[in-house]
Amino acid sequence: MPRFHTGPAPARRDDWHTLRALWPYVWAFRARVSLAFACLVLAKVANVVTPLYLKDLVDALGVPGTLLALPVAALLGYGLARLSTSLFGELRDALFARVTQGAIRQVASRVFEHLLSLSLRFHMQRRTGGLSRDIERGTKGIGFLLNFTVFNILPTLLEIAMVAGVLLWRYDWVFAALTIGTIGAYVAFTLLVTERRMVYRRSMNALDSQANGKAVDALINYETVKYFGNEAYEHRRYDHDMAHWVDSAVRNQVSLNLLNMGQGMIITLGITALLWRSAAGVVEGAMTVGDVVLVSAYLTQLYAPLNFLGFVYREIRHALADMERMFDLLGNRQEVADRADARLLATRRATVRFRDVDFGYESDRRILHKVSFDIPAGATVAVVGASGAGKSTLSRLLFRFYDVDGGAVLVDGRDVRDYTQASLRAHIGIVPQDTVLFNDSIAYNIAYGRPGADQAAIERAARAAHIHAFIMSLPQGYETPVGERGLKLSGGEKQRVAIARTLLKDPPILVLDEATSALDTRTERAIQDELAQIARDRTTLIIAHRLSTIVDADRIIVLDAGRVAEEGDHAGLLALGGRYARMWQLQQSGLDEGQGNLTDTVPK
């Protein structure tokens, strides 16, 4: 069985792996990236040239009054350099905006598409709240990483290199050495301390996702929480995780304060040494006042971005940690995948066959054992049995949410693994026992069976499901919102919406999984007649608990502990006097066979 990532992130990882994963999405906008980089270089060249014009101004104005003249060239050069810095910087930002947002869109879309392609097993193991939080943080991390890398890290590093080159060109090597040494010490200290701090950030992320997952889980199952009076219990669980999150957050903040203190000391020492050296040069007559202004201006220009560089680097590392969990989602293997030579299923009359099917959700717990039966085209076959007998598993295998461990499920005589999943599922419609609706309108939920269907088709399906009159009685009619998971509708109303949705899909294969279990007797009879009419021309698999709903089935399969115990039509099974006859007798007498195992109530 594949293993899925559900726990905390590892203490260390290869950040280059994350960057390599992001790069194709950025390079898709290569023309904009190239233009933005050119603007970046031009902006920094203008920024480095600006203090040179300032030095010329100071030296020109520092001569005796009799020789003083307006330094027009220096003034114009200074103004043009300042303007160019701003102009090219803004142009860079404008060009790169679509790169950042476009990359975020493509990554988010790719992750969403991949999650939808993963197996049902993955989605049964994950927590929705934690998963959504990982994606949210990851997409924000992409924006932060790209913006601060292009707008801060690269420009600052480029400016540092240019300033060091100018100082080395105009003055002795001590100025360049002091500049590079200060920056080297600053970067080394930042890298060392930040690496040690990352464990706190990863711990915060894991605890945040865990707490959010529990909160969303409790809110989704709000009614169950209220039924059992477990509000305080759910609050304690949530608060327990948040308390651990606070501990990690405090450690993270304290370590940040220590990092800022160390960075401040290094910058202060470097600036003091450079100013001392330039002041000494003026005293010695080797440098002018303009030279001191030049060095001071460079230090001022570098101080702010260099001080910000520490913050940016820390946040980039945090962004990489945030992106880590999102990109890890793309690493989850698609358990059920189309074969390279998979073909399209195209038919209006399909046969279905289960041939010696073995299956288990876990390797050490088998659900189905050598199950075999056929559903001819246009026929109706019902499967009955106690809870846990494997009835609903049959529909999941038919939809190919899972692949069988042994045997095969065949449609039109061919293994379902030979078809594309999209074309296979397009031919199957299901009315499930547990109907979940989208938090949208009734019309949207019915139209989900065939996106793009017009209003007339939606209303025809609603009439066939005997829910049109109810919908029209509502103030907003078909535009009535159903709430989270359809909580604003009763169980019967939700099930009728699900029936209408499936009728709108109009599939050649129909699966009815306890399709009328939540309906009252009168509505159930009306819908049973309609379903019987609809199923007449379709290959139909009925998974049933109430035997009265399947007496007209062409064939009835009795499952017991994942094995076919009996099969035949209703009359034949009653005459057999076995398990089915016992179930019928119990239900007719008002008892509920679902309260116990089939093997507990039927003599061997």
Side-chain angles (χ1 to χ4, degrees), residues 57 125 441 514 578:
L57 276 171
Q125 292 178 348
S441 67
E514 304 281 5

Side-chain angles (χ1 to χ4, degrees), residues 151-348:
F151 301 159
N152 294 93
I153 296 292
L154 290 180
T156 301
L157 294 177
L158 184 62
E159 186 171 4
I160 288 171
M162 289 181 177
V163 167
V166 170
L167 293 176
L168 190 61
W169 164 52
R170 297 185 68 95
Y171 310 110
D172 62 53
W173 63 270
V174 177
F175 285 91
L178 284 173
T179 301
I180 297 299
T182 301
I183 294 168
Y186 182 95
V187 171
F189 178 76
T190 301
L191 291 176
L192 179 63
V193 177
T194 302
E195 284 298 319
R196 293 178 179 275
R197 294 183 62 244
M198 287 310 297
V199 65
Y200 301 129
R201 179 68 179 201
R202 288 195 172 96
S203 176
M204 288 171 60
N205 284 355
L207 289 167
D208 181 52
S209 294
Q210 185 173 316
N212 191 64
K214 289 179 180 178
V216 171
D217 202 24
L219 292 174
I220 289 176
N221 296 289
Y222 170 81
E223 286 186 273
T224 304
V225 174
K226 302 296 283 187
Y227 286 149
F228 290 92
N230 281 337
E231 296 93 336
Y233 169 72
E234 292 295 342
H235 175 259
R236 284 196 303 272
R237 289 209 313 155
Y238 177 76
D239 189 59
H240 178 267
D241 286 338
M242 289 304 296
H244 287 293
W245 178 86
V246 168
D247 291 340
S248 292
V250 170
R251 294 189 185 99
N252 184 61
Q253 182 61 45
V254 171
S255 63
L256 172 61
N257 298 140
L258 293 173
L259 177 61
N260 288 338
M261 290 170 56
Q263 290 170 337
M265 289 177 61
I266 293 172
I267 289 293
T268 301
L269 290 173
I271 289 178
T272 302
L274 281 169
L275 286 177
W276 172 80
R277 186 68 185 88
S278 59
V282 173
V283 172
E284 295 168 0
M287 297 176 66
T288 66
V289 175
D291 291 318
V292 176
V293 172
L294 175 66
V295 173
S296 178
Y298 277 144
L299 291 177
T300 302
Q301 278 186 195
L302 287 179
Y303 176 76
L306 191 58
N307 185 55
F308 196 51
L309 182 64
F311 163 77
V312 170
Y313 175 75
R314 293 191 304 269
E315 292 304 314
I316 284 178
R317 295 288 288 126
H318 294 167
L320 287 168
D322 292 339
M323 292 163 56
E324 167 190 337
R325 291 173 71 94
M326 183 181 68
F327 277 113
D328 279 350
L329 293 172
L330 292 174
N332 284 293
R333 183 174 60 85
Q334 188 177 358
E335 181 183 357
V336 178
D338 288 340
R339 292 174 174 172
D341 59 347
R343 61 174 59 195
L344 296 175
L345 174 60
T347 182
R348 287 303 305 170

Side-chain angles (χ1 to χ4, degrees), residues 220-501:
I220 289 176
N221 296 289
Y222 170 81
E223 286 186 273
T224 304
V225 174
K226 302 296 283 187
Y227 286 149
F228 290 92
N230 281 337
E231 296 93 336
Y233 169 72
E234 292 295 342
H235 175 259
R236 284 196 303 272
R237 289 209 313 155
Y238 177 76
D239 189 59
H240 178 267
D241 286 338
M242 289 304 296
H244 287 293
W245 178 86
V246 168
D247 291 340
S248 292
V250 170
R251 294 189 185 99
N252 184 61
Q253 182 61 45
V254 171
S255 63
L256 172 61
N257 298 140
L258 293 173
L259 177 61
N260 288 338
M261 290 170 56
Q263 290 170 337
M265 289 177 61
I266 293 172
I267 289 293
T268 301
L269 290 173
I271 289 178
T272 302
L274 281 169
L275 286 177
W276 172 80
R277 186 68 185 88
S278 59
V282 173
V283 172
E284 295 168 0
M287 297 176 66
T288 66
V289 175
D291 291 318
V292 176
V293 172
L294 175 66
V295 173
S296 178
Y298 277 144
L299 291 177
T300 302
Q301 278 186 195
L302 287 179
Y303 176 76
L306 191 58
N307 185 55
F308 196 51
L309 182 64
F311 163 77
V312 170
Y313 175 75
R314 293 191 304 269
E315 292 304 314
I316 284 178
R317 295 288 288 126
H318 294 167
L320 287 168
D322 292 339
M323 292 163 56
E324 167 190 337
R325 291 173 71 94
M326 183 181 68
F327 277 113
D328 279 350
L329 293 172
L330 292 174
N332 284 293
R333 183 174 60 85
Q334 188 177 358
E335 181 183 357
V336 178
D338 288 340
R339 292 174 174 172
D341 59 347
R343 61 174 59 195
L344 296 175
L345 174 60
T347 182
R348 287 303 305 170
R349 289 181 60 82
T351 61
V352 175
R353 182 182 181 190
F354 285 77
R355 185 181 66 195
D356 296 327
V357 171
D358 285 325
F359 177 75
Y361 295 107
E362 307 292 341
S363 59
D364 57 349
R365 181 171 174 262
R366 314 305 298 168
I367 301 297
L368 300 177
H369 306 268
K370 301 293 182 183
V371 172
S372 296
F373 64 88
D374 295 340
I375 312 178
T380 297
V381 170
V383 179
V384 299
S387 298
K391 303 186 298 298
S392 294
T393 299
L394 297 175
S395 66
R396 291 174 174 176
L397 294 177
L398 178 59
F399 269 95
R400 208 188 163 205
F401 290 155
Y402 300 92
D403 280 333
V404 298
D405 296 327
V409 179
L410 300 96
V411 172
D412 270 2
R414 187 176 291 275
D415 195 317
V416 293
R417 289 169 289 193
D418 292 336
Y419 298 117
T420 64
Q421 295 175 67
S423 67
L424 171 68
R425 292 166 188 163
H427 283 69
I428 309 173
I430 186 170
V431 181
Q433 179 180 7
D434 182 20
T435 301
V436 177
L437 304 181
F438 293 94
N439 190 3
D440 210 303
S441 67
I442 293 176
Y444 175 87
N445 278 281
I446 294 176
Y448 203 78
R450 196 173 79 223
D454 58 28
Q455 186 64 26
I458 293 172
E459 292 185 11
R460 282 196 300 271
R463 285 191 177 92
H466 295 270
I467 196 175
H468 175 74
F470 164 75
I471 296 173
M472 296 307 295
S473 71
L474 299 171
Q476 294 177 262
Y478 279 87
E479 295 307 311
T480 301
V482 302
E484 188 84 28
R485 296 170 63 87
L487 289 177
K488 292 185 179 181
L489 302 181
S490 70
E493 291 158 359
K494 286 197 298 182
Q495 208 141 21
R496 282 182 286 171
V497 170
I499 292 171
R501 182 166 57 190

Side-chain angles (χ1 to χ4, degrees), residues 35-149:
L35 288 174
F37 186 75
C39 290
L40 183 156
V41 172
L42 291 173
K44 283 305 160 187
V45 168
N47 200 40
V48 170
V49 168
T50 300
L52 293 174
Y53 288 111
L54 185 60
K55 166 191 158 34
D56 292 342
L57 276 171
V58 172
D59 286 341
L61 295 173
V63 299
T66 54
L67 300 176
L68 184 63
L70 185 65
V72 177
L75 282 170
L76 290 176
Y78 179 82
L80 183 61
R82 290 293 298 267
L83 178 63
S84 298
T85 300
S86 175
L87 182 65
F88 285 117
E90 294 298 330
L91 187 58
R92 174 204 64 189
D93 294 358
L95 285 168
F96 207 75
R98 183 167 291 277
V99 178
T100 301
Q101 304 307 323
I104 290 174
R105 174 198 170 191
Q106 289 186 4
V107 173
S109 179
R110 175 73 184 92
V111 172
F112 182 67
E113 179 187 37
H114 183 71
L115 289 175
L116 290 179
S117 73
L118 293 177
S119 69
L120 184 61
R121 195 192 310 273
F122 170 85
H123 288 281
M124 290 177 70
Q125 292 178 348
R126 55 91 169 131
R127 282 185 177 270
T128 304
L131 190 65
S132 63
R133 187 62 67 89
D134 288 341
I135 297 173
E136 178 187 357
R137 281 200 307 257
T139 52
K140 287 182 178 179
I142 291 173
F144 195 99
L145 176 70
L146 292 180
N147 285 328
F148 279 88
T149 299

